[in-house]
Amino acid sequence: MKYFYECDFNLVISEICLMSSVSLMILGFAEVKGKHLLKYSKFWKGNTKQMKLSSRNGMLLAYTPAFLAGFASFFLFFDEGVRFFLLRSALTIHFFKRIFEVVFVHKYSGGMDVDSAVTIGLCYLIATGTMIYSQHLTQVEGYGQPHIDLSYLGTVLFLIGISGNLYHHFLLSKLRSKEDKQYKVPKGGLFELIICPHYMFEIIEFWGVAFISQTLYSIAFPVGSTLYLIGRSYATRRWYLSKFEDFPPNLKAIIPFVF
């Protein structure tokens, strides 16, 4: 049973996706080892030799290029079917939602390293552009269609993921007032079971995008992102354990009752 498009081997796109996924895997393993290569949020430690942005501006720098790429795709490519419309819509909505959260939802207590903001932004931009262009190639080159259409299942997963992620980001924002810079153990929703439900739903969201696309290239980014977010969640739980004596020992990192 064929679940993906039959694609001619495209060396450039394959190398881009491979580098992207491997880089994210390395970042995830580094998080587990306690090395936070992407310096932001609670893991950012000030260094006068590094250029620092506010967390708000750093996140905007990271998310805006990918959003613009997704938005521009509606003008760069003509109508190429429902699947292509769903894919570029999902990617554009995803990054629009992130920008919306940066401006209206998130509360900030630290800064962000400029190098980290640029690295994250380039990663998202390259992944977004590659997925959209790869999907375009499936249409113009006439690649064989998958035997099973997973695009509607992917849309459902995407909607579940983006809704769950937004809801738990909203719960995080309610933990502190604008004047309160102290971290607290999150409560409510799936925070009662895991410390990073927003990461779990983000993983669901990324796999929803992969199912919408059903190109082999679209799998690379979710694979890398999943491993990175698992590593990040592990580091987050370890950080909370070190900071809060009353942290519930049975509270898992990212998978309820498991991990």
Side-chain angles (χ1 to χ4, degrees):
M1 191 70 70
K2 180 163 67 70
Y3 295 97
F4 303 99
Y5 282 92
E6 292 178 349
C7 302
D8 291 337
F9 184 72
N10 188 308
L11 183 60
V12 175
I13 293 179
S14 297
E15 288 181 348
I16 289 174
C17 290
L18 179 62
M19 288 188 293
S20 176
S21 58
V22 170
S23 297
L24 286 167
M25 291 178 194
I26 292 172
L27 290 173
F29 288 126
E31 293 285 347
V32 172
K33 296 294 184 179
K35 298 178 181 179
H36 311 295
L37 302 180
L38 296 181
K39 302 176 180 64
Y40 66 94
S41 185
K42 62 181 69 64
F43 300 121
W44 193 90
K45 296 181 179 180
N47 186 328
T48 56
K49 295 182 180 180
Q50 295 173 325
M51 292 184 63
K52 175 184 175 181
L53 294 171
S54 68
S55 291
R56 183 188 299 271
N57 290 338
M59 291 299 178
L60 285 175
L61 177 60
Y63 301 145
T64 301
F67 164 72
L68 292 176
F71 184 72
S73 70
F74 286 93
F75 302 95
L76 295 175
F77 302 108
F78 296 105
D79 182 25
E80 296 181 8
V82 174
R83 188 191 298 275
F84 191 53
F85 174 78
L86 290 174
L87 175 66
R88 53 185 174 178
S89 295
L91 291 170
T92 304
I93 291 170
H94 169 77
F95 288 105
F96 174 80
K97 171 256 189 188
R98 286 196 166 189
I99 293 171
F100 174 84
E101 288 177 333
V102 168
V103 177
F104 298 107
V105 177
H106 293 324
K107 300 292 195 309
Y108 304 99
S109 60
M112 187 173 187
D113 182 32
V114 172
D115 289 346
S116 294
V118 172
T119 299
I120 295 170
L122 283 174
C123 184
Y124 284 140
L125 175 61
I126 291 170
T128 299
T130 301
M131 279 189 274
I132 291 173
Y133 185 67
S134 296
Q135 200 69 44
H136 167 69
L137 287 180
T138 67
Q139 302 298 317
V140 299
E141 299 294 338
Y143 295 146
Q145 293 278 342
H147 291 162
I148 298 178
D149 185 353
L150 299 177
S151 61
Y152 294 105
L153 172 61
T155 301
V156 172
L157 290 176
F158 172 79
L159 292 174
I160 292 172
I162 197 170
S163 300
N165 181 265
L166 175 62
Y167 173 67
H168 287 90
H169 278 164
F170 177 76
L171 291 181
L172 284 174
S173 73
K174 293 301 180 183
L175 285 176
R176 298 177 293 180
S177 65
K178 292 183 178 180
E179 293 76 23
D180 186 4
K181 302 297 183 181
Q182 298 298 317
Y183 281 95
K184 301 175 183 178
V185 178
K187 301 291 183 182
L190 287 182
F191 282 117
E192 303 299 328
L193 298 176
I194 52 179
I195 197 62
C196 293
H198 47 310
Y199 289 168
M200 183 191 75
F201 281 107
E202 191 165 8
I203 289 172
I204 293 172
E205 190 180 348
F206 285 146
W207 281 102
V209 172
F211 284 3
I212 290 172
S213 177
Q214 281 182 264
T215 65
L216 290 175
Y217 305 126
S218 70
I219 299 298
F221 188 75
V223 168
S225 296
T226 297
L227 292 176
Y228 169 67
L229 290 173
I230 287 174
R232 186 81 176 182
S233 68
Y234 177 86
T236 299
R237 184 179 185 275
R238 183 174 56 201
W239 184 88
Y240 275 102
L241 278 170
S242 70
K243 298 296 182 181
F244 298 93
E245 295 181 357
D246 59 344
F247 185 83
N250 294 327
L251 193 63
K252 300 300 183 181
I254 194 169
I255 305 174
F257 311 112
V258 178
F259 176 79

